[in-house]
Amino acid sequence: MYRFLLSRQWVILTLVALLLIPTMIRLGIWQMHRYEMRTARNELVADALTAKPVPVEKLTSPGHAVTTDERYHRVTAKGRFDTDHELVVRRRTNSDDEVGYHVLTPFVLDDGKVLLVNRGWIPADSPSQTTFPKIPAPPSGEVTVTGRLMPDETTEASGIKNLEGLPDRQIMLINSAQEAQRLDAQVLGGYIAQTAPEPKGDTPELLGSPGNEDAALNYAYAIQWWLFSAGVPIGWVILVRRETRERAKKEDGADETAPAEPAAV
């Protein structure tokens, strides 16, 4: 009755089913790992954003690489903005996906070290972005700033290419080591995304807080893949039973239509 399972068509179908089951199980495990990673990251970000601000030099120093545990931690710094060496970071978008710049202003601490402060987003003056834009001035004199500590940007992490030959005082990526060479100063590793004091005008627009990654979606995908893997053998059994019934019907029909043997004289 089940000899049809040895046919070429059914052998291929069975092999495909046997390959799909472990593949779907592995995909479910991968999605569960993604869920765990995103959940851990969300907890890390939430803890960092709610932690009490600390002086920036407690977490970073010249040449220091900001770690994952230090990222987003709120820090404070006391000093003055150095607008003479201000830069803009090209091709950055705001919450409405408008393309403009991030304003990167060196902040000279009381001990002479420099902290890079991302003061927020401003619109581009022209589509070509070849001229240096007009930038609202920061507070003058000594001021205390608060912000989220961020690591140096890289092409690998951001996907942004570090282009050469850009207009004067424009960069693609924020890198404290490069700024240390340009300023000929001791620059703290990483930079901060300013959260206070807020600008007096509409710009620069302060950068929004990092949002939670949708970890629940990965959890749902994991369950989905495992349900699919369970459905494969069930579907295979259903197909076998259907094929068996159809073959049995054909055999019964053949028996009914077969001519009767003549009776013996």
Side-chain angles (χ1 to χ4, degrees):
M1 183 181 299
Y2 296 103
R3 291 189 65 182
F4 66 88
L5 293 175
L6 299 177
S7 65
R8 183 172 181 272
Q9 178 183 359
W10 274 94
V11 168
I12 293 174
L13 181 62
T14 302
L15 290 175
V16 170
L18 291 175
L19 288 173
L20 284 175
I21 293 172
T23 300
M24 291 178 176
I25 291 174
R26 287 181 64 87
L27 286 171
I29 294 173
W30 177 74
Q31 288 289 353
M32 187 58 67
H33 286 164
R34 292 280 296 170
Y35 163 75
E36 293 171 352
M37 288 173 58
R38 286 187 165 185
T39 300
R41 181 185 179 278
N42 289 340
E43 293 176 354
L44 187 67
V45 172
D47 291 342
L49 293 178
T50 55
K52 184 179 179 180
V54 299
V56 65
E57 290 187 272
K58 284 191 174 182
L59 292 181
T60 185
S61 58
H64 176 74
V66 177
T67 66
T68 301
D69 291 339
E70 295 164 343
R71 185 176 186 178
Y72 299 121
H73 203 295
R74 293 193 300 160
V75 295
T76 61
K78 187 177 181 181
R80 59 179 179 80
F81 284 104
D82 178 12
T83 55
D84 292 338
H85 297 96
E86 200 164 48
L87 298 172
V88 291
V89 190
R90 292 168 59 91
R91 299 181 185 175
R92 300 303 169 106
T93 57
N94 63 0
S95 57
D96 296 324
D97 289 332
E98 297 174 314
V99 179
Y101 304 97
H102 280 178
V103 178
L104 188 68
T105 309
F107 189 78
V108 183
L109 306 179
D110 290 341
D111 60 6
K113 296 185 181 70
V114 175
L115 169 67
L116 300 178
V117 177
N118 187 338
R119 295 204 289 125
W121 181 90
I122 61 171
D125 289 343
S126 63
S128 61
Q129 298 188 357
T130 55
T131 59
F132 195 75
K134 295 179 181 179
I135 302 174
S140 60
E142 191 170 69
V143 63
T144 298
V145 297
T146 303
R148 298 184 297 271
L149 184 61
M150 302 295 292
D152 289 330
E153 296 179 340
T154 63
T155 298
E156 292 75 18
S158 65
I160 301 173
K161 294 182 179 179
N162 197 12
L163 303 177
E164 297 181 357
L166 297 175
D168 187 39
R169 299 171 64 187
Q170 296 191 23
I171 59 176
M172 298 297 298
L173 297 169
I174 303 175
N175 185 285
S176 60
Q178 292 181 1
E179 291 308 301
Q181 293 181 353
R182 183 179 71 92
L183 298 171
D184 191 21
Q186 289 186 300
V187 178
L188 303 185
Y191 68 98
I192 69 168
Q194 182 179 335
T195 57
E198 295 185 3
K200 294 181 179 179
D202 295 333
T203 59
E205 295 179 18
L206 297 182
L207 305 184
S209 299
N212 286 339
E213 296 186 10
D214 193 356
L217 190 61
N218 293 103
Y219 187 88
Y221 285 155
I223 300 300
Q224 187 180 57
W225 280 118
W226 290 335
L227 289 175
F228 286 161
S229 68
V232 169
I234 295 174
W236 184 87
V237 170
I238 292 174
L239 290 176
V240 169
R241 295 185 65 179
R242 186 177 68 180
E243 183 73 13
T244 302
R245 288 196 301 269
E246 290 179 354
R247 288 177 178 268
K249 289 180 181 180
K250 289 181 180 179
E251 291 178 2
D252 292 342
D255 291 343
E256 291 176 1
T257 58
E261 296 183 2
V265 177

